[in-house]
Structures are given as C-alpha cells and as structure tokens.
C-alpha cells in the first residue's frame, strides 16, 4: 500500500471513530474486560490488559471506568459475559478482510456480520481463508516534524524495534508484538508525539481499488465499524488518497 493512501485511510477511519466517541469507550471497556477475564486483573502480570489500559488512558477514559471493566472481567462485579469471534472474508474486488468481534450473542453477531458483507458486495470465507496474508505487528506512526530519522532509528535499535519506514508525511516504526510496549514507552520517554500507536494486523500484499468498487469497499468498512460487536477491522484495501477524500467528503 502506498504510504499516501495508507495514511489517508487511517485518517478517514479515525475521523469516523472520533465522531462516535462513546463507541470508542465501549470497545476499550470490552477489551479490558476480556483481557482481565483471560489473564487476571493485575496489569503487571497481564500484557494484554496492560496494553488495553494504556489505550484507554490515551483516549482519556476515566480511571473508574477502567477499574470497573477490570472488575467485570475478574468477576468482582456482575456484567455481561463476552465471547471473542473472528470472521474472515472478501470485500468488493476480492479485498481480504478480517473482523474481530466481542459479543454476548454469537448467533446475532454471525448473522449481522454476514449480512453486512453480502449487502456491500462481499462474502464471508472459511477460517484461515485470508488470515495467512496478514502478520500481527506493533505500529507506531510519527509525523515527520515531531522527530528526525536518526533519533527514531536510535530508539528502534535500542528498544528492540524491527524497522523504521518513510511513509510520506510520517515515519512508521514496526515492531514484533512482544517488543511493542518497550518501543512505545521509549518513544513516550523521548516526549515524541505519535499519530497512531497500536498492535495491529499488517497485510503482506495490497489490492488497489478504483471508482465504484472502491466506494463500495468503503461502505463495507463503515458498516462493519458501525456494528456494536466489532472491535477491529483489518483489510488489504488500497485506493488513491484523493479519491478517498472525495468519497469520504
């Protein structure tokens, strides 16, 4: 994926989510609850919970909300029992899509995610039909004016990052998931502001779409992102940045 369209896509996604602030909090609370249930309520011994709490704090979530999310996960206070489900499928133009859900009703989630795909020119696939195209990585993006290449390369080498890429207006640090926390903390300690910082799925190849097919793919992504059970959507979709802004506008 060309750097220009990648960052335009991220900006589009972030703008859509920022417009639904309450939805961000809901997703983060679900992740905190699931993480605490799976690995216990002590973030020092639970890396997934530690990452979830850091993401919640980055969105200025109140400490009481975080505490309650942990307590629901550990069973200290009652709450819904969530189940994690991952869907794989294809969007318009054969684009690969992975959808991670956290739901209290599996049958409803399966039915509604299937409907979102079929209504927007896609279809669900079998497990592992597209996952092989993606790798889990830590990604930390930094605006060019916030830091220089030498400064960031030193952080990558000293903190255990994998690579530093030039992505047009931004630098992009890539890490293994196990090294993400250390590298993210090193960036924070250096007082360098980030454009984005998360563990995500990166595609090995990208499919470029144009015109009506690209517009239909954006509608599918928006439909999935709008669903209450959806935590994350990953795809190998690429399009021209100018067209993306035109459609989004």
């Amino acid at each position: 994926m060309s750097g220009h369209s990648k960052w335009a896509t991220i900006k589009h996604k972030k703008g859509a989510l920022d417009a639904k602030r309450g939805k961000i909090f809901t997703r983060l609370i679900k992740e905190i609850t699931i993480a605490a249930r799976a690995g216990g309520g002590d973030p020092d011994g639970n890396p997934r919970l530690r990452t979830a709490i850091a993401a919640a704090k980055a969105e200025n979530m109140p400490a009481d909300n975080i505490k309650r999310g942990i307590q629901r996960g550990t069973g200290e206070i009652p709450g819904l029992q969530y189940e994690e489900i991952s869907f794989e499928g294809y969007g318009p133009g054969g684009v690969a899509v992975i959808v991670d859900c956290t739901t209290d009703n599996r049958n409803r989630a399966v039915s509604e995610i299937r409907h979102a795909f079929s209504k927007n020119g896609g279809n669900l696939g079998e497990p592992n039909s597209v996952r092989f195209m993606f790798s889990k990585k830590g990604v930390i993006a930094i605006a060019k004016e916030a830091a220089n290449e030498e400064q960031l390369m030193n952080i990558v080498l000293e903190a255990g990052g994998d690579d530093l890429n030039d992505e047009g207006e931004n630098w992009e640090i890539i890490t293994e998931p196990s090294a993400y926390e250390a590298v993210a903390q090193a960036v924070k300690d250096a007082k360098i502001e980030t454009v984005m910082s998360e563990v995500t799925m990166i595609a090995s190849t990208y499919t470029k779409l144009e015109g009506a097919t690209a517009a239909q793919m954006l509608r599918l992504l928006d439909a999935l992102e709008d669903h209450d059970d959806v935590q994350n959507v990953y795809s190998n979709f690429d399009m021209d940045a100018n067209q993306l802004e035109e459609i989004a506008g």
Side-chain angles (χ1 to χ4, degrees), residues 48-140:
R48 180 176 176 180
L49 178 59
R50 194 161 61 240
T51 300
I53 291 171
K57 287 180 176 177
E59 294 292 344
N60 298 312
M61 180 181 287
D64 283 350
N65 295 38
I66 294 172
K67 183 180 178 181
R68 283 195 297 272
I70 294 171
Q71 289 175 327
R72 286 193 193 100
T74 58
E76 293 173 67
I77 60 175
L80 293 172
Q81 290 299 305
Y82 294 118
E83 176 184 5
E84 293 182 284
I85 315 172
S86 189
F87 299 93
E88 298 177 43
Y90 300 91
V95 167
V97 183
I98 297 175
V99 185
D100 291 338
C101 291
T102 302
T103 182
D104 61 344
N105 187 325
R106 169 184 277 268
N107 291 336
R108 180 194 66 214
V110 172
S111 173
E112 292 179 354
I113 296 301
R114 186 186 304 278
H115 177 71
F117 270 90
S118 61
K119 184 181 177 183
N120 294 284
N123 60 280
L124 282 183
E126 296 296 320
N128 300 315
S129 56
V130 303
R131 190 171 293 273
F132 70 92
M133 302 182 200
F134 295 81
S135 300
K136 197 169 191 176
K137 296 286 185 182
V139 180
I140 303 168

Side-chain angles (χ1 to χ4, degrees), residues 33-242:
T33 300
I34 286 275
R37 190 180 76 189
D42 179 7
D44 289 337
N46 185 341
R48 180 176 176 180
L49 178 59
R50 194 161 61 240
T51 300
I53 291 171
K57 287 180 176 177
E59 294 292 344
N60 298 312
M61 180 181 287
D64 283 350
N65 295 38
I66 294 172
K67 183 180 178 181
R68 283 195 297 272
I70 294 171
Q71 289 175 327
R72 286 193 193 100
T74 58
E76 293 173 67
I77 60 175
L80 293 172
Q81 290 299 305
Y82 294 118
E83 176 184 5
E84 293 182 284
I85 315 172
S86 189
F87 299 93
E88 298 177 43
Y90 300 91
V95 167
V97 183
I98 297 175
V99 185
D100 291 338
C101 291
T102 302
T103 182
D104 61 344
N105 187 325
R106 169 184 277 268
N107 291 336
R108 180 194 66 214
V110 172
S111 173
E112 292 179 354
I113 296 301
R114 186 186 304 278
H115 177 71
F117 270 90
S118 61
K119 184 181 177 183
N120 294 284
N123 60 280
L124 282 183
E126 296 296 320
N128 300 315
S129 56
V130 303
R131 190 171 293 273
F132 70 92
M133 302 182 200
F134 295 81
S135 300
K136 197 169 191 176
K137 296 286 185 182
V139 180
I140 303 168
I142 296 150
K144 288 278 182 73
E145 59 266 22
N148 61 54
E149 184 175 15
E150 183 180 358
Q151 183 181 15
L152 293 177
M153 185 56 77
N154 286 337
I155 288 174
V156 169
L157 295 173
E158 291 172 12
D162 279 0
D163 207 355
L164 177 66
N165 300 323
D166 184 337
E167 291 287 347
E169 296 177 356
N170 301 283
W171 298 112
E172 179 187 78
I173 298 174
I174 304 293
T175 79
E176 288 300 318
S178 58
Y180 167 74
E181 279 188 79
V183 178
Q185 187 61 50
V187 170
K188 185 177 180 180
D189 290 345
K191 294 182 169 49
I192 298 171
E193 189 173 341
T194 61
V195 176
M196 65 169 280
S197 181
E198 63 184 17
V199 177
T200 187
M201 299 288 277
I202 297 179
S204 55
T205 60
Y206 287 86
T207 299
K208 181 136 188 186
L209 301 182
E210 297 178 344
T213 309
Q216 190 175 37
M217 183 63 205
L218 279 182
R219 286 195 295 274
L220 171 59
L221 292 178
D222 285 343
L224 293 170
E225 291 282 358
D226 281 346
H227 194 282
D228 288 341
D229 289 342
V230 171
Q231 291 289 96
N232 295 295
V233 181
Y234 309 107
S235 76
N236 67 343
F237 159 54
D238 185 20
M239 71 179 292
D240 179 76
N242 292 331

